[in-house]
CSV table of all heavy atoms in Angstrom, one decimal:
chain,number,residue,atom,x,y,z
B,378,ILE,N,171.3,6.4,146.0
B,378,ILE,CA,171.5,5.5,144.8
B,378,ILE,C,170.9,6.3,143.5
B,378,ILE,O,169.8,6.8,143.5
B,378,ILE,CB,170.7,4.3,144.9
B,378,ILE,CG1,171.0,3.6,146.3
B,378,ILE,CG2,170.9,3.3,143.7
B,378,ILE,CD1,170.2,2.4,146.7
B,379,MET,N,171.8,6.4,142.5
B,379,MET,CA,171.4,7.1,141.2
B,379,MET,C,171.0,6.0,140.2
B,379,MET,O,171.7,5.0,140.0
B,379,MET,CB,172.4,7.9,140.8
B,379,MET,CG,172.6,9.2,141.7
B,379,MET,SD,173.9,10.3,140.9
B,379,MET,CE,175.3,9.8,141.8
B,380,VAL,N,169.8,6.1,139.6
B,380,VAL,CA,169.4,5.3,138.5
B,380,VAL,C,169.6,6.0,137.2
B,380,VAL,O,168.9,7.0,137.0
B,380,VAL,CB,168.0,4.7,138.8
B,380,VAL,CG1,167.6,3.8,137.8
B,380,VAL,CG2,167.9,4.2,140.2
B,381,GLU,N,170.3,5.5,136.3
B,381,GLU,CA,170.4,6.0,134.9
B,381,GLU,C,169.4,5.2,134.1
B,381,GLU,O,169.8,4.0,133.9
B,381,GLU,CB,171.7,6.1,134.4
B,381,GLU,CG,171.9,6.5,133.1
B,381,GLU,CD,173.3,6.7,132.5
B,381,GLU,OE1,174.3,6.6,133.4
B,381,GLU,OE2,173.5,6.8,131.2
B,382,THR,N,168.5,5.7,133.4
B,382,THR,CA,167.8,4.9,132.5
B,382,THR,C,168.3,4.8,131.1
B,382,THR,O,169.5,5.3,131.0
B,382,THR,CB,166.3,5.8,132.0
B,382,THR,OG1,166.7,6.9,131.3
B,382,THR,CG2,165.6,6.2,133.4
B,383,VAL,N,167.9,3.9,130.3
B,383,VAL,CA,168.3,3.8,129.0
B,383,VAL,C,168.1,5.4,128.2
B,383,VAL,O,167.5,6.0,128.7
B,383,VAL,CB,167.7,2.8,128.1
B,383,VAL,CG1,168.0,1.5,128.6
B,383,VAL,CG2,166.3,3.1,128.1
B,384,GLY,N,168.7,5.6,127.2
B,384,GLY,CA,168.4,6.8,126.4
B,384,GLY,C,167.0,6.6,126.0
B,384,GLY,O,166.6,5.7,125.4
B,385,VAL,N,166.3,7.8,126.3
B,385,VAL,CA,164.7,7.6,126.1
B,385,VAL,C,164.3,8.6,125.2
B,385,VAL,O,164.9,9.5,124.9
B,385,VAL,CB,164.0,7.7,127.6
B,385,VAL,CG1,164.5,6.8,128.6
B,385,VAL,CG2,164.2,9.1,128.1
B,386,GLY,N,163.1,8.5,124.9
B,386,GLY,CA,162.3,9.5,124.0
B,386,GLY,C,161.4,10.3,124.8
B,386,GLY,O,161.6,10.8,125.7
B,387,GLN,N,160.1,10.2,124.4
B,387,GLN,CA,159.1,11.2,125.0
B,387,GLN,C,158.2,10.4,126.0
B,387,GLN,O,157.6,11.1,126.8
B,387,GLN,CB,158.2,11.7,123.9
B,387,GLN,CG,158.9,12.6,122.9
B,387,GLN,CD,158.0,13.0,121.7
B,387,GLN,OE1,157.3,12.3,121.2
B,387,GLN,NE2,158.0,14.3,121.4
B,388,SER,N,158.2,9.1,126.0
B,388,SER,CA,157.1,8.6,126.8
B,388,SER,C,157.5,7.5,127.7
B,388,SER,O,156.8,6.8,128.5
B,388,SER,CB,156.0,7.9,125.9
B,388,SER,OG,156.6,6.8,125.2
B,389,GLU,N,158.9,7.3,128.0
B,389,GLU,CA,159.4,6.3,129.0
B,389,GLU,C,159.5,7.1,130.4
B,389,GLU,O,160.5,7.7,130.7
B,389,GLU,CB,160.7,5.8,128.5
B,389,GLU,CG,160.7,5.0,127.2
B,389,GLU,CD,160.9,5.8,126.0
B,389,GLU,OE1,160.6,7.1,126.1
B,389,GLU,OE2,161.3,5.3,125.0
B,390,VAL,N,158.5,6.9,131.1
B,390,VAL,CA,158.3,7.7,132.4
B,390,VAL,C,158.4,6.7,133.7
B,390,VAL,O,158.0,7.2,134.7
B,390,VAL,CB,157.0,8.4,132.5
B,390,VAL,CG1,157.0,9.5,131.4
B,390,VAL,CG2,155.8,7.5,132.3
B,391,GLU,N,158.7,5.5,133.4
B,391,GLU,CA,158.9,4.5,134.6
B,391,GLU,C,159.6,5.1,135.8
B,391,GLU,O,159.5,4.8,136.9
B,391,GLU,CB,159.3,3.2,134.3
B,391,GLU,CG,158.9,2.1,135.3
B,391,GLU,CD,159.5,0.8,134.8
B,391,GLU,OE1,160.2,0.6,133.9
B,391,GLU,OE2,159.2,-0.3,135.6
B,392,ILE,N,160.7,5.9,135.3
B,392,ILE,CA,161.7,6.2,136.4
B,392,ILE,C,161.0,7.1,137.5
B,392,ILE,O,161.4,7.1,138.5
B,392,ILE,CB,162.8,7.1,135.7
B,392,ILE,CG1,163.9,7.6,136.7
B,392,ILE,CG2,162.3,8.4,134.9
B,392,ILE,CD1,164.8,6.3,137.2
B,393,ALA,N,159.9,7.8,137.1
B,393,ALA,CA,159.2,8.8,138.0
B,393,ALA,C,158.6,7.9,139.2
B,393,ALA,O,158.4,8.4,140.2
B,393,ALA,CB,158.2,9.6,137.3
B,394,LYS,N,158.3,6.6,138.8
B,394,LYS,CA,157.7,5.9,139.9
B,394,LYS,C,158.8,5.1,140.9
B,394,LYS,O,158.5,4.8,141.9
B,394,LYS,CB,156.9,4.6,139.2
B,394,LYS,CG,155.6,5.3,138.6
B,394,LYS,CD,154.7,4.0,138.1
B,394,LYS,CE,153.5,4.6,137.3
B,394,LYS,NZ,153.1,3.7,136.2
B,395,VAL,N,159.9,5.1,140.3
B,395,VAL,CA,161.0,4.3,140.9
B,395,VAL,C,161.8,5.3,141.8
B,395,VAL,O,162.3,5.0,142.9
B,395,VAL,CB,161.9,3.6,140.0
B,395,VAL,CG1,163.2,3.2,140.6
B,395,VAL,CG2,161.2,2.5,139.4
B,396,ALA,N,162.0,6.6,141.3
B,396,ALA,CA,163.0,7.6,141.9
B,396,ALA,C,162.1,8.5,142.9
B,396,ALA,O,161.0,8.7,142.7
B,396,ALA,CB,163.6,8.4,140.9
B,397,ASP,N,162.9,9.0,143.9
B,397,ASP,CA,162.4,9.9,144.9
B,397,ASP,C,162.6,11.3,144.2
B,397,ASP,O,161.7,12.2,144.5
B,397,ASP,CB,163.1,9.9,146.3
B,397,ASP,CG,162.9,8.5,146.8
B,397,ASP,OD1,161.8,7.9,146.8
B,397,ASP,OD2,163.9,8.0,147.4
B,398,THR,N,163.6,11.5,143.5
B,398,THR,CA,163.8,12.8,142.8
B,398,THR,C,164.2,12.4,141.4
B,398,THR,O,165.0,11.5,141.0
B,398,THR,CB,165.1,13.5,143.2
B,398,THR,OG1,164.8,14.0,144.6
B,398,THR,CG2,165.3,14.8,142.5
B,399,SER,N,163.4,12.9,140.4
B,399,SER,CA,163.6,12.6,139.0
B,399,SER,C,164.3,13.9,138.1
B,399,SER,O,163.6,14.8,138.3
B,399,SER,CB,162.3,12.2,138.3
B,399,SER,OG,161.8,11.1,138.9
B,400,ILE,N,165.3,13.5,137.5
B,400,ILE,CA,166.0,14.5,136.8
B,400,ILE,C,166.0,14.2,135.3
B,400,ILE,O,166.3,13.2,134.9
B,400,ILE,CB,167.5,14.6,137.2
B,400,ILE,CG1,167.7,15.0,138.7
B,400,ILE,CG2,168.2,15.7,136.4
B,400,ILE,CD1,169.0,14.8,139.4
B,401,LEU,N,165.5,15.2,134.6
B,401,LEU,CA,165.5,15.0,133.0
B,401,LEU,C,166.5,15.9,132.4
B,401,LEU,O,166.8,17.1,132.7
B,401,LEU,CB,164.2,15.6,132.5
B,401,LEU,CG,164.1,15.5,130.9
B,401,LEU,CD1,164.2,14.2,130.4
B,401,LEU,CD2,162.7,16.1,130.5
B,402,VAL,N,167.5,15.2,131.7
B,402,VAL,CA,168.6,15.8,131.1
B,402,VAL,C,168.3,16.1,129.7
B,402,VAL,O,168.0,15.2,128.9
B,402,VAL,CB,170.0,14.9,131.3
B,402,VAL,CG1,171.2,15.8,130.7
B,402,VAL,CG2,170.1,14.5,132.7
B,403,LEU,N,168.5,17.4,129.3
B,403,LEU,CA,168.3,17.8,128.0
B,403,LEU,C,169.5,18.3,127.4
B,403,LEU,O,170.5,18.7,128.2
B,403,LEU,CB,167.2,18.9,127.9
B,403,LEU,CG,165.8,18.4,128.4
B,403,LEU,CD1,164.9,19.5,128.6
B,403,LEU,CD2,165.1,17.5,127.4
B,404,SER,N,169.6,18.7,126.0
B,404,SER,CA,170.8,19.3,125.5
B,404,SER,C,170.2,20.5,124.8
B,404,SER,O,169.0,20.6,124.5
B,404,SER,CB,171.5,18.3,124.5
B,404,SER,OG,170.9,18.2,123.4
B,405,PRO,N,171.2,21.4,124.3
B,405,PRO,CA,170.7,22.6,123.5
B,405,PRO,C,169.9,22.2,122.3
B,405,PRO,O,169.1,23.0,121.7
B,405,PRO,CB,171.9,23.4,123.2
B,405,PRO,CG,172.9,23.1,124.3
B,405,PRO,CD,172.6,21.5,124.6
B,406,ALA,N,170.0,21.0,121.9
B,406,ALA,CA,169.3,20.6,120.6
B,406,ALA,C,168.0,19.8,120.9
B,406,ALA,O,167.6,19.2,119.9
B,406,ALA,CB,170.3,19.7,119.7
B,407,SER,N,167.5,20.0,122.1
B,407,SER,CA,166.4,19.3,122.5
B,407,SER,C,164.9,19.7,121.9
B,407,SER,O,163.9,19.2,122.3
B,407,SER,CB,166.3,19.1,124.0
B,407,SER,OG,167.2,18.2,124.5
B,408,GLY,N,165.0,20.9,121.2
B,408,GLY,CA,163.8,21.3,120.5
B,408,GLY,C,163.3,22.6,121.0
B,408,GLY,O,164.1,23.3,121.5
B,409,ASP,N,162.1,23.0,120.7
B,409,ASP,CA,161.5,24.3,121.1
B,409,ASP,C,160.5,24.2,122.1
B,409,ASP,O,160.2,23.2,122.6
B,409,ASP,CB,161.1,25.0,119.8
B,409,ASP,CG,160.1,24.3,119.1
B,409,ASP,OD1,159.6,23.2,119.7
B,409,ASP,OD2,159.7,24.6,117.9
B,410,GLU,N,159.7,25.4,122.2
B,410,GLU,CA,158.6,25.4,123.2
B,410,GLU,C,157.6,24.4,122.9
B,410,GLU,O,157.0,23.7,123.9
B,410,GLU,CB,158.0,26.8,123.1
B,410,GLU,CG,158.8,27.9,123.7
B,410,GLU,CD,158.2,29.2,123.6
B,410,GLU,OE1,157.1,29.4,123.0
B,410,GLU,OE2,158.6,30.2,124.2
B,411,MET,N,157.4,24.0,121.6
B,411,MET,CA,156.4,22.9,121.4
B,411,MET,C,156.8,21.6,122.0
B,411,MET,O,155.9,21.0,122.6
B,411,MET,CB,156.4,22.8,119.9
B,411,MET,CG,155.1,22.4,119.2
B,411,MET,SD,153.7,23.1,119.9
B,411,MET,CE,152.7,21.7,120.3
B,412,GLN,N,158.0,21.2,121.9
B,412,GLN,CA,158.5,20.0,122.6
B,412,GLN,C,158.3,20.1,124.1
B,412,GLN,O,158.0,19.0,124.8
B,412,GLN,CB,160.0,19.8,122.4
B,412,GLN,CG,160.3,19.6,120.8
B,412,GLN,CD,159.5,18.4,120.2
B,412,GLN,OE1,159.0,17.4,120.9
B,412,GLN,NE2,159.2,18.4,118.9
B,413,MET,N,158.4,21.3,124.7
B,413,MET,CA,158.4,21.4,126.1
B,413,MET,C,157.0,21.3,126.6
B,413,MET,O,156.8,20.9,127.8
B,413,MET,CB,159.0,22.8,126.6
B,413,MET,CG,160.4,23.0,126.1
B,413,MET,SD,161.5,21.7,126.8
B,413,MET,CE,162.6,21.4,125.3
B,414,ILE,N,156.0,21.7,125.9
B,414,ILE,CA,154.6,21.6,126.4
B,414,ILE,C,153.9,20.2,126.1
B,414,ILE,O,152.8,20.0,126.4
B,414,ILE,CB,153.7,22.7,125.9
B,414,ILE,CG1,153.5,22.7,124.5
B,414,ILE,CG2,154.3,24.0,126.4
B,414,ILE,CD1,152.6,23.7,124.0
B,415,LYS,N,154.7,19.3,125.5
B,415,LYS,CA,154.1,18.0,125.2
B,415,LYS,C,154.0,17.1,126.5
B,415,LYS,O,154.7,17.4,127.5
B,415,LYS,CB,154.9,17.3,124.2
B,415,LYS,CG,154.7,17.9,122.7
B,415,LYS,CD,155.5,17.0,121.7
B,415,LYS,CE,155.3,17.7,120.4
B,415,LYS,NZ,156.1,16.9,119.3
B,416,ALA,N,153.0,16.3,126.4
B,416,ALA,CA,152.8,15.4,127.6
B,416,ALA,C,153.8,14.4,127.6
B,416,ALA,O,154.6,14.2,126.6
B,416,ALA,CB,151.4,14.7,127.5
B,417,GLY,N,153.9,13.6,128.7
B,417,GLY,CA,155.0,12.6,128.8
B,417,GLY,C,156.2,13.0,129.7
B,417,GLY,O,156.1,13.5,130.8
B,418,ILE,N,157.3,12.8,129.1
B,418,ILE,CA,158.6,12.8,129.9
B,418,ILE,C,158.7,14.3,130.5
B,418,ILE,O,159.4,14.5,131.5
B,418,ILE,CB,159.8,12.4,129.0
B,418,ILE,CG1,160.9,12.1,130.0
B,418,ILE,CG2,160.2,13.5,128.1
B,418,ILE,CD1,161.8,10.9,129.6
B,419,MET,N,158.2,15.3,129.7
B,419,MET,CA,158.4,16.7,130.3
B,419,MET,C,157.7,16.9,131.5
B,419,MET,O,158.0,17.9,132.3
B,419,MET,CB,158.0,17.7,129.2
B,419,MET,CG,158.7,17.8,127.9
B,419,MET,SD,160.5,17.9,128.2
B,419,MET,CE,160.4,19.6,129.0
B,420,GLU,N,156.8,16.0,131.9
B,420,GLU,CA,155.9,16.3,133.0
B,420,GLU,C,156.5,15.7,134.4
B,420,GLU,O,156.0,15.9,135.4
B,420,GLU,CB,154.5,15.7,132.8
B,420,GLU,CG,153.7,16.2,131.7
B,420,GLU,CD,152.4,15.4,131.4
B,420,GLU,OE1,152.6,14.5,130.7
B,420,GLU,OE2,151.5,15.8,132.1
B,421,ILE,N,157.5,14.7,134.2
B,421,ILE,CA,157.8,13.9,135.3
B,421,ILE,C,159.2,14.6,136.0
B,421,ILE,O,159.4,14.1,137.1
B,421,ILE,CB,158.2,12.5,135.0
B,421,ILE,CG1,159.3,12.5,133.8
B,421,ILE,CG2,157.0,11.9,134.3
B,421,ILE,CD1,160.4,11.3,134.1
B,422,ALA,N,159.7,15.5,135.5
B,422,ALA,CA,161.0,16.0,136.1
B,422,ALA,C,160.7,16.9,137.3
B,422,ALA,O,159.9,17.8,137.3
B,422,ALA,CB,161.7,16.8,135.1
B,423,ASP,N,161.5,16.5,138.4
B,423,ASP,CA,161.6,17.5,139.5
B,423,ASP,C,162.6,18.6,139.4
B,423,ASP,O,162.7,19.6,139.9
B,423,ASP,CB,161.9,16.7,140.7
B,423,ASP,CG,160.8,15.6,141.1
B,423,ASP,OD1,159.6,16.0,141.2
B,423,ASP,OD2,161.1,14.5,141.1
B,424,ILE,N,163.7,18.2,138.5
B,424,ILE,CA,164.7,19.1,138.2
B,424,ILE,C,165.1,18.9,136.7
B,424,ILE,O,165.1,17.8,136.1
B,424,ILE,CB,166.0,18.8,139.0
B,424,ILE,CG1,165.8,19.0,140.5
B,424,ILE,CG2,167.2,19.6,138.7
B,424,ILE,CD1,166.8,18.4,141.4
B,425,PHE,N,165.1,20.1,135.9
B,425,PHE,CA,165.7,19.9,134.6
B,425,PHE,C,167.1,20.5,134.5
B,425,PHE,O,167.4,21.3,135.2
B,425,PHE,CB,164.8,20.9,133.7
B,425,PHE,CG,163.4,20.6,133.6
B,425,PHE,CD1,162.4,21.0,134.4
B,425,PHE,CD2,162.9,19.8,132.5
B,425,PHE,CE1,161.1,20.7,134.3
B,425,PHE,CE2,161.7,19.4,132.3
B,425,PHE,CZ,160.7,19.9,133.1
B,426,VAL,N,167.8,19.6,133.7
B,426,VAL,CA,169.2,19.8,133.4
B,426,VAL,C,169.4,20.1,131.9
B,426,VAL,O,168.9,19.4,131.2
B,426,VAL,CB,170.1,18.8,133.8
B,426,VAL,CG1,171.6,19.0,133.3
B,426,VAL,CG2,170.3,18.7,135.4
B,427,VAL,N,170.0,21.3,131.5
B,427,VAL,CA,170.3,21.4,130.2
B,427,VAL,C,171.8,21.3,130.1
B,427,VAL,O,172.6,22.2,130.6
B,427,VAL,CB,169.9,22.8,129.6
B,427,VAL,CG1,170.4,23.0,128.1
B,427,VAL,CG2,168.5,23.2,129.8
B,428,ASN,N,172.2,20.3,129.6
B,428,ASN,CA,173.7,19.8,129.6
B,428,ASN,C,174.3,20.3,128.2
B,428,ASN,O,173.6,20.7,127.3
B,428,ASN,CB,173.9,18.3,129.6
B,428,ASN,CG,175.4,18.1,130.0
B,428,ASN,OD1,176.0,18.7,130.5
B,428,ASN,ND2,175.8,16.8,129.5
B,429,LYS,N,175.6,20.4,128.2
B,429,LYS,CA,176.3,20.8,127.1
B,429,LYS,C,176.0,22.1,126.7
B,429,LYS,O,175.8,22.7,125.6
B,429,LYS,CB,175.9,19.9,125.8
B,429,LYS,CG,176.0,18.4,126.0
B,429,LYS,CD,176.0,17.6,124.7
B,429,LYS,CE,176.2,16.1,125.0
B,429,LYS,NZ,176.3,15.3,123.9
B,430,ALA,N,175.9,23.0,127.8
B,430,ALA,CA,175.4,24.4,127.7
B,430,ALA,C,176.4,25.2,126.9
B,430,ALA,O,176.0,26.2,126.5
B,430,ALA,CB,175.2,24.9,129.1
B,431,ASP,N,177.8,24.7,126.8
B,431,ASP,CA,178.7,25.5,126.1
B,431,ASP,C,178.5,25.4,124.5
B,431,ASP,O,179.0,26.1,123.8
B,431,ASP,CB,180.1,24.9,126.4
B,431,ASP,CG,180.1,23.4,126.2
B,431,ASP,OD1,179.2,22.8,126.7
B,431,ASP,OD2,181.1,23.0,125.6
B,432,ARG,N,177.5,24.5,124.1
B,432,ARG,CA,177.3,24.3,122.6
B,432,ARG,C,176.5,25.5,122.2
B,432,ARG,O,176.3,25.5,120.8
B,432,ARG,CB,176.7,23.0,122.3
B,432,ARG,CG,177.5,21.9,122.8
B,432,ARG,CD,178.2,21.3,121.6
B,432,ARG,NE,179.0,20.1,121.9
B,432,ARG,CZ,178.7,18.9,121.6
B,432,ARG,NH1,177.6,18.6,121.0
B,432,ARG,NH2,179.5,17.9,122.0
B,433,GLY,N,176.0,26.3,122.9
B,433,GLY,CA,175.2,27.5,122.3
B,433,GLY,C,173.6,27.1,122.2
B,433,GLY,O,173.4,25.9,122.0
B,434,GLY,N,172.8,28.0,122.6
B,434,GLY,CA,171.3,27.6,122.4
B,434,GLY,C,170.8,27.2,123.7
B,434,GLY,O,169.6,26.9,123.8
Side-chain angles (χ1 to χ4, degrees):
Chain B
I378 307 171
M379 291 186 269
V380 183
E381 176 179 346
T382 69
V383 293
V385 301
Q387 294 176 312
S388 64
E389 293 88 340
V390 295
E391 194 182 8
I392 188 67
K394 290 185 183 148
V395 168
D397 300 318
T398 296
S399 297
I400 301 170
L401 176 62
V402 187
L403 301 164
S404 79
S407 292
D409 56 9
E410 286 176 354
M411 205 48 230
Q412 297 303 334
M413 300 304 142
I414 61 171
K415 283 186 183 172
I418 200 145
M419 294 304 300
E420 299 174 273
I421 60 141
D423 300 306
I424 299 167
F425 289 92
V426 169
V427 181
N428 193 29
K429 309 192 184 189
D431 53 316
R432 297 261 178 112

